[in-house]
Structures are given as C-alpha cells and as structure tokens.
Amino acid sequence: MRQKLIIGNWKMNGDVQQCDQLATRITKTYLSGSDNVEVVICPPALYLQSVQKRLIAGKATLKLGAQNVSDYQGGAYTGELSADMLSDVGCDYVLIGHSERRMLFNEDNVIAARKVAAAMRAGLTPVLCVGETAQEFELGQTHKVVAKQVMDVVSIIGIRNFDKVVIAYEPVWAIGSGKVATPEYAQDVHAQLRQLLAQRDHWVAEKIRILYGGSVNQQNATSLFQQADIDGALVGGASLSADQFVTICALQNRQTLQIAS
Ligand code: PGA
C-alpha cells in the first residue's frame, strides 16, 4: 500500500515568531498520533531552520519541505537556493511547479523537469504540482493539460525514477478559492494519471503517490481521502491553523486504519 502523505504549504506567510509558534503547536498536537501518515510542512525558506529546531525540540516525526528550489546546482545565481542547501538545512521534500510559480514566475514544464532532476540529485523528494486553469476546466481540457504537465517531465527525467516523485494534482480554480473539486472528479483525474503512467511502467504507476490539493479543509478531507487513487493532500490555507492541519492529518490516519482493518 502507498504510504499516505499530507503536506502543509505555508506559502509566503508569517514571520519568525508566527512560524515557530505554528510549528510548535502542530508538533504538540500531532504527537498524539497520526502515525500511519507521513506529514510534511513547508514554511517559507527563510524560516526552515528555526522551524526545524522546533520539530527537533518537539521530537516530532514531521518532515520539512521547501516551496521551491533552483534548477542550478550552485555558484553565481543571485537569490537562488540549491537543492543541496535545502537538504543541508534538513529538508526531505520540495514543491515544484506550483501553479503560483507557473503563473506568476513563468515556470514551464522544462523548468519543472530541471528542478525535479536537481531535487533528486540532492536526495530530496520532489512534489510535482500540476493542474488545469478555470478556463481549461470549462473547455473540458483537464486530462490533456495535466497529462502534458506530467509526461513532459517524465520525458526529461525518465520513467525509471519517477516513482520517487510525488504528484500533486491541484486544479488552479480550486486553490485558495474555497471551491474544492468533487471527490469523484479528483478521483477520475488521479486514476487517469495513474493509467497514463502505467502505459510506460506498471510498477511506477502503482508506487507513485498522487495528492489532491485545492481548498482542502477538515470538512471535505474525508470524502477525498476515501478515493482509491488519492494518496493524501497538499494543504494551503488550512495548514496555517495548527488545529485544522492536525485534524486533516488525523482524518487521513483514520481512513488509512479503516482500509487496513
Ligand atoms: P489551498 O492551497 O489549500 O489554500 O487551496 C493549496 C495549495 O496552493 O497548495
């Protein structure tokens, strides 16, 4: 069975104190147990180290992730952070190709693929974010769009190592909008992505984790987690509340236990 995964994306929010407090609160509540689920938090890069200290102090099994990474390895790239640097400060995961980066910072599938490669070289787990815009959704182009976003990266990285990637399917129209995709719709997209990968490699398709993201909260999480091809969630807004985030992790945990029994 694929291990479930919940990732909190704090985006560009908070200051040192707020991030430390949030990490401490999540650590304290989370300790009471979501053991069957892997949980990752992605604070702003500047606060990774202080958040990491809180996680260690709280003896939490939570992992740390970054929200972005340079596709370059090191050297004269002013303002960039390399995958090795992220790994050095304790990151295990990194988000790549989030729709905000695609839309606001002109990142395309080639850049995403280069970043996935850079992350993997440094031993980080890349979380490749894909998803259709509202217009593409209305035109019925979802499958075409997400298939291209994934397969463009596969064609550069190769299918062999692709099981080490996590895919986050996040419809752009659902991000931060309060308009979550229906569980059936999300399941359909996830299943089609898995089938697409299976055409290249069955084993990779079975192993790869595909998360849903876009307005996930404690009210809608369970119905999403009940879907066979949804392996967890990428949570934005709701991850800024320790209580909400930990509840979402606990709901995923409960779902995992139900499947196992
Ligand atoms: P949201 O964000 O949960 O606030 O919709 C998700 C994301 O952008 O990863």
Side-chain angles (χ1 to χ4, degrees):
M1 204 169 76
R2 296 180 290 271
Q3 190 181 25
K4 302 296 179 186
L5 173 63
I6 305 288
I7 305 180
N9 174 12
W10 295 1
K11 306 195 180 183
M12 197 169 74
N13 290 298
D15 54 24
V16 177
Q17 205 191 355
Q18 286 166 340
C19 287
D20 280 357
Q21 274 174 1
L22 185 53
T24 304
R25 253 187 255 141
I26 291 173
T27 304
K28 281 193 181 137
T29 340
Y30 174 75
L31 266 186
S32 51
S34 300
D35 309 337
N36 297 299
V37 179
E38 195 176 1
V39 179
V40 179
I41 50 175
C42 303
L46 197 57
Y47 306 134
L48 281 166
Q49 276 184 289
S50 61
V51 165
Q52 170 77 330
K53 282 191 192 130
R54 303 284 151 164
L55 299 186
I56 292 169
K59 298 193 174 52
T61 51
L62 293 161
K63 291 181 179 161
L64 200 61
Q67 299 172 17
N68 185 27
V69 63
S70 174
D71 49 333
Y72 294 102
Q73 236 173 325
Y77 300 100
T78 303
E80 291 289 276
L81 297 173
S82 72
D84 284 330
M85 290 172 182
L86 298 176
S87 170
D88 192 31
V89 297
C91 287
D92 286 313
Y93 282 78
V94 60
L95 307 182
I96 289 170
H98 189 282
S99 68
E100 286 148 19
R101 299 225 48 96
R102 290 178 189 264
M103 289 190 310
L104 302 170
F105 302 96
N106 298 323
E107 292 191 8
D108 58 17
N109 295 342
V110 174
I111 293 179
R114 286 172 55 94
K115 290 187 173 194
V116 168
M120 287 168 89
R121 265 198 308 270
L124 299 172
T125 299
V127 181
L128 175 66
C129 305
V130 299
E132 81 284 10
T133 63
Q135 197 189 12
E136 289 160 346
F137 171 73
E138 272 153 31
L139 292 171
Q141 295 173 338
T142 300
H143 295 302
K144 199 176 102 196
V145 170
V146 296
K148 181 163 170 50
Q149 286 171 330
V150 170
M151 295 319 274
D152 276 6
V153 176
V154 170
S155 69
I156 295 171
I157 301 300
I159 192 71
R160 276 270 180 85
N161 289 317
F162 214 70
D163 61 298
K164 298 190 184 69
V165 175
V166 172
I167 295 174
Y169 166 58
E170 301 200 295
V172 179
W173 48 269
I175 294 177
S177 64
K179 282 191 242 158
V180 66
T182 64
E184 297 73 26
Y185 179 81
Q187 163 59 24
D188 188 46
V189 179
H190 284 226
Q192 292 220 20
L193 277 177
R194 215 179 287 287
Q195 278 160 19
L196 188 69
L197 290 168
Q199 287 167 14
R200 296 289 189 90
D201 190 315
H202 269 282
W203 189 79
V204 167
E206 263 314 300
K207 262 197 94 190
I208 194 165
R209 291 181 291 179
I210 309 180
L211 312 183
Y212 170 80
S215 294
V216 174
N217 58 33
Q218 54 193 19
Q219 281 80 37
N220 59 33
T222 300
S223 55
L224 290 160
F225 297 157
Q226 283 166 342
Q227 306 304 312
D229 288 290
I230 298 185
D231 302 313
L234 176 52
V235 186
S239 73
L240 294 173
S241 149
D243 285 348
Q244 275 237 36
F245 184 63
V246 172
T247 302
I248 292 167
C249 297
L251 291 170
Q252 176 66 88
N253 192 48
R254 193 186 302 163
Q255 185 58 30
T256 312
L257 293 175
Q258 272 170 13
I259 296 168
S261 67

